[in-house]
Amino acid sequence: MTILIGYLATLGVYFCIYNIFSIGLNIQFGYAGILDFTVITFMAVGAYMAGVGSLAPAQPGTQIYYILGLSLPWPLAFIMGAASAGILGYLVGLIALRRLRSDYLAIVTLAAGSIIYGLVGNNTKLFDGYEGLVGVPQPFNGVLNLTPNTYDLVFMIFAAIIMGLLWFLANRLYKSPLGRAMRATREDLDVAEAFGKNTYRIRMMAMVIGAVFVGIGGVLTIWFITALAPAGWGPSETFVIWAALIVGGMGNNKGAVVGSFLVAVLFNEATRFLPSINGFPSLIPEIRNICIGALVILTLRFRPQGVLPERKAKFFELPLSNSRASLERETVVAGGEE
């Protein structure tokens, strides 16, 4: 029973984390139409910076190298990771958003992610290269001294609280004037500019806010698994986040939640605990990828708007006949007064 609770708590943590990833991508693409194909890189930067903020300085002779090592308390490390992801989003936006749109924007973000991946992996002085960070301290665990399964349950509650706060902020953003300006920019950038909107500034804000959200998901990731290496944030992980948003429904945070459950939890994470088949160690991972790809294809074919599509705003409109009748009455009255 304890093992089952730990298993379900682990899936719950991943559900919360992927919700945060999907909501962050939804702010960038679903709100503002930014094709960010390096979204997982923001997760990695947030995770790495929170990790080196939490860890003690690297000890000589251990063959483990990383920058900083500040031994910060978890709230400061949390802020450090989220802010680092936002700064990276701003830097990528400076290059990609001012002059590029659509496919060209997507290519630049993909190239930026590939450069950062190679830089981190080949430079062992940053985050220990392809070996990655290990032994990252977990919040609360040193104080509460819980068993692993009990700690997973506590961390799931902690991740759910963070996810709930970010969900609230994302919905407030959607309904705000800035959110409406983002969606106007998404629908037609030229028309938004014609109405005096600074579309570069609007898209930059969406890029940075979405990067901060994804960076927070990265902080929770490295705290939960206590380690992170470049193998854990490759292009396939970006595909999973995009698949969750496409299946759930773009522009709708509820759709992002549904997509996270269907793709990230049900297909991607739950299947990791299945035992491997003798003689075919990579069969289950390949089947997992096939299932996710098939789900995306079926969604695009039969319901391209997603399971829970974005609800379009409706505005009250007077019937044309009544408007004409009212105009005629006003004309008659005006003529009589004359």
Side-chain angles (χ1 to χ4, degrees):
M1 188 65 181
T2 305
I3 297 176
L4 178 61
I5 292 175
Y7 170 72
L8 294 177
T10 300
L11 292 182
V13 171
Y14 283 120
F15 175 64
C16 295
I17 290 173
Y18 273 101
N19 274 337
I20 296 172
F21 291 159
S22 299
I23 292 172
L25 179 59
N26 195 34
I27 292 174
Q28 293 178 339
F29 182 70
Y31 289 17
I34 300 172
L35 282 169
D36 181 9
F37 282 175
T38 188
V39 61
I40 200 65
T41 306
F42 300 124
M43 181 281 287
V45 170
Y48 278 136
M49 295 307 294
V52 296
S54 302
L55 286 167
Q59 298 299 318
T62 60
Q63 303 300 317
I64 299 176
Y65 307 97
Y66 51 83
I67 60 173
L68 301 179
L70 301 178
S71 300
L72 295 174
W74 72 263
L76 294 180
F78 181 92
I79 296 173
M80 183 176 172
S84 300
I87 292 171
L88 178 62
Y90 178 75
L91 295 176
V92 173
L94 284 177
I95 301 171
L97 295 179
R98 187 175 292 278
R99 296 183 180 275
L100 300 177
R101 304 182 187 179
S102 187
D103 299 342
Y104 300 100
L105 172 60
I107 292 171
V108 170
T109 59
L110 182 62
S114 299
I115 292 171
I116 295 172
Y117 184 91
L119 179 65
V120 171
N122 291 288
N123 192 340
T124 57
K125 300 299 182 180
L126 288 176
F127 307 110
D128 205 31
Y130 288 107
E131 297 297 324
L133 299 179
V134 294
V136 177
Q138 295 178 311
F140 318 122
N141 202 19
V143 177
L144 301 178
N145 294 320
L146 301 173
T147 63
N149 289 331
T150 305
Y151 179 79
D152 290 348
L153 186 60
V154 171
F155 195 90
M156 183 190 71
I157 297 172
F158 174 65
I161 292 172
I162 299 296
M163 184 200 73
L165 292 174
L166 296 179
W167 164 274
F168 173 76
L169 293 175
N171 283 319
R172 294 282 294 184
L173 174 63
Y174 183 88
K175 298 175 182 178
S176 69
L178 176 59
R180 291 193 292 271
M182 287 179 181
R183 298 195 300 277
T185 302
R186 174 197 68 190
E187 295 297 331
D188 198 314
L189 190 144
D190 294 325
V191 171
E193 289 181 346
F195 278 91
K197 298 296 183 181
N198 188 339
T199 57
Y200 169 72
R201 178 173 173 271
I202 292 169
R203 294 202 299 165
M204 178 64 81
M205 293 181 71
M207 186 74 172
V208 172
I209 294 172
V212 169
F213 274 53
V214 177
I216 291 173
V219 174
L220 295 177
T221 300
I222 199 169
W223 278 347
F224 183 63
I225 61 179
T226 71
L228 185 68
W233 51 282
S236 60
E237 297 299 324
T238 292
F239 167 72
V240 171
I241 300 173
W242 270 98
L245 187 61
I246 291 172
V247 171
M250 294 172 287
N252 184 358
N253 290 320
K254 293 180 180 178
V257 172
V258 173
S260 297
F261 175 76
L262 292 176
V263 176
V265 175
L266 197 60
F267 284 94
N268 193 57
E269 294 300 334
T271 55
R272 295 184 188 274
F273 297 95
L274 296 176
S276 60
I277 300 175
N278 293 333
F280 302 94
S282 62
L283 180 61
I284 290 180
E286 296 300 331
I287 293 176
R288 178 195 308 134
N289 294 332
I290 292 172
C291 291
I292 294 175
L295 183 61
V296 172
I297 292 173
L298 292 174
T299 301
L300 293 174
R301 173 62 180 86
F302 296 104
R303 193 173 176 81
Q305 70 272 31
V307 176
L308 292 178
E310 179 184 11
R311 297 180 62 181
K312 300 297 182 180
K314 296 181 180 180
F315 302 95
F316 179 74
E317 182 178 354
L318 290 172
L320 183 59
S321 58
N322 292 345
S323 299
R324 287 180 177 175
S326 176
L327 180 61
E328 290 174 359
R329 286 195 298 270
E330 292 177 0
T331 303
V332 171
V333 172
E337 291 177 352
E338 292 178 357

